[in-house]
Amino acid sequence: MERRFKLEHPLDADPRRQEAHSSLRRSSVTEVLAHPEVHTDLPGPRSRELLARRDKAFEGPLRNYINVPFVLGEKHGHVLTDVDGNSFADHVSAWGAAPYGAQPPSVRDAVATAWDRYGMEISQYLSSEPVITLAERLIDLAPAGITRVAPTVTGTEAVEGAVKLAREATGRPIILGFLGQYHGESTYLTATTSTDMPGNTSHYTQYVPGVILLPYPQRFRAPFHRGPGPHDDTLCLDYLREWILRYQVEPEQVAGVLIEPVAGEAGILAPSQAFWDGLTGLCREYGWKLLLDEVQTCMGRCGTVFAAERWGLQPDLLLVGKGVTGGGQAVAGVLGTEEMMANAHAHLGGTYAWEPAACAGALAGLDLLADGRILANAKSMEAIAHEELSPLIDELGQVGDVRAAGAWACLEFVTGAGSTVPDPAFQHAVHRAALRKGVFAISEDTKPLYRMQPALTMELELFRWSCRQVADAARQVSAR
């Protein structure tokens, strides 16, 4: 029997917000709808045809459709429909830059209006009001001490720029990074990425100097410890102080620490307060700058405007991207303190950095985020993820850990109970089974990590339904 439910957008209930947010509500599925369903093989016939054409036209990494066996036909609200008519709950688009679901009209209208007024412009040479206003709004939202902004187009450029600024401000050469993070696709930054997909960094990282990598803090597994945790994630700081600073580099050579407050590509790893207290203490002790990469976590992803707020962090440089666009055009940047940026000579950005229309869309997105119910919705999704998915740890031996931070959830799969040995094959089988059930999330066939990254505005009913489909998919694969 087909199940139907009412999807209620987090902004629907308050009539005082109806006019201001009517455009966002129209972008969401707020009527009584059937849950997403798949009616064909994956890929379906039309998708298969288009994927074959893609295979002939694109470069190597884009020729493989094992993770995404369909082609997008359209999307509305928080549901994708492929070219064969199959529909999926969307837990992927916000991985890019769609934090408020598909086509939030207020953002779209702001982009179009600014485009008609300003056209394309090199904003770092000729300013316009949306560019200046966006800088002011971001500074107002940022943690204490942030006073300046440097525009960029992408998160990759933001991280590159932060490294330049840290070295310029300190006169020191070394950047400390962490294994498992993701900072972009440029040659330099792949050296600081070192994800659990080493193919990403093959053939070129050995030529990049100035980076020292440490284990990213986590409690499920720890270096030099067998078996699953919970482990003390401050062990990573012991390793830094007692081994790296003793045998590899003098602390006075370190310019800064480049770290994601939550490591998304590594599986939604959120360090403890004790870790952050220890790391910021080392920064103060040795004069290191804290470079906080919030490209994935900024603008509500973790239930706060910036993830830094979860631990009371005050970075020297704060990197933004993705969600700051509001779902419009590309916007990223570096936010920093007066000391780091007021008199800096490092030039960031470029031709397309902070186009007026992109800034107008970002401002419309900030207007949406200002309604506290969106952040509350993200926090509710964190609770739902734990309610629906965490019991799988005791139920299925292959579920090693479940982690969630705001509108972000991850299941990590292992070979069996009591093991930390990754099981990418099991994870990918769960992904394929979840696709059949109408849930589309982030999966890579070489990783043991299954990640759900819904829009901040996803209806809680749809998110809970999605979690239950994923749980059933894991049970189905385990029973084979």
Side-chain angles (χ1 to χ4, degrees), residues 47-271:
S47 285
R48 189 178 298 278
E49 175 189 342
L50 289 169
L51 290 168
R53 287 169 52 190
R54 186 182 77 169
D55 182 68
K56 293 180 180 179
F58 285 93
E59 57 128 1
L62 299 178
R63 299 178 62 194
N64 183 353
Y65 61 82
I66 187 171
N67 297 319
V68 186
F70 63 87
V71 173
L72 179 64
E74 60 181 7
K75 59 181 178 180
H76 299 284
H78 310 111
V79 176
L80 306 176
T81 303
D82 73 7
V83 291
D84 295 289
N86 302 306
S87 57
F88 307 88
D90 181 7
H91 295 270
V92 171
S93 293
W95 186 24
Y100 307 116
Q103 310 106 354
S106 62
V107 175
R108 179 183 58 209
D109 293 346
V111 169
T113 299
W115 174 267
D116 290 342
R117 180 173 181 178
Y118 301 104
M120 287 283 284
E121 192 50 76
I122 301 177
S123 293
Q124 290 181 297
Y125 192 75
L126 177 60
S127 285
S128 58
E129 186 170 0
V131 176
I132 298 168
T133 303
L134 179 59
E136 293 170 337
R137 291 278 299 275
L138 290 175
I139 290 168
D140 288 343
L141 286 170
I146 298 295
T147 62
R148 301 279 173 174
V149 176
T152 69
V153 181
T154 67
T156 295
E157 293 171 328
V159 181
E160 290 273 18
V163 170
K164 292 179 185 178
L165 290 165
R167 285 176 167 163
E168 180 186 38
T170 63
R172 301 176 179 183
I174 301 298
I175 298 294
L176 298 180
F178 290 83
L179 295 161
Q181 297 189 123
Y182 178 82
H183 297 298
E185 297 292 348
S186 72
T187 301
Y188 179 80
L189 290 180
T190 50
T192 64
T193 295
S194 249
T195 69
D196 48 0
M197 298 177 66
N200 285 354
T201 58
S202 294
H203 309 305
Y204 36 77
T205 57
Q206 60 267 38
Y207 303 116
V208 179
V211 177
I212 294 175
L213 295 171
L214 310 166
Y216 191 92
Q218 61 165 300
R219 281 160 279 189
F220 178 62
R221 57 165 58 84
F224 314 117
H225 288 71
R226 294 188 176 94
H231 296 292
D232 179 356
D233 64 0
T234 63
L235 292 170
C236 299
L237 298 177
D238 295 341
Y239 175 71
L240 170 58
R241 186 184 285 278
E242 297 173 15
W243 295 88
I244 297 300
L245 299 183
R246 181 176 179 184
Y247 294 109
Q248 189 168 3
V249 65
E250 293 180 324
E252 292 77 17
Q253 293 296 302
V254 175
V257 181
L258 176 60
I259 184 168
E260 293 178 298
V262 178
E265 304 301 307
I268 322 301
L269 300 174

Side-chain angles (χ1 to χ4, degrees), residues 6-9 12 25-26 28-33 459:
K6 180 174 176 57
L7 303 180
E8 294 189 355
H9 191 279
D12 279 348
R25 291 200 308 276
R26 289 196 300 271
S28 304
V29 184
T30 55
E31 300 173 358
V32 177
L33 297 175
E459 301 83 2

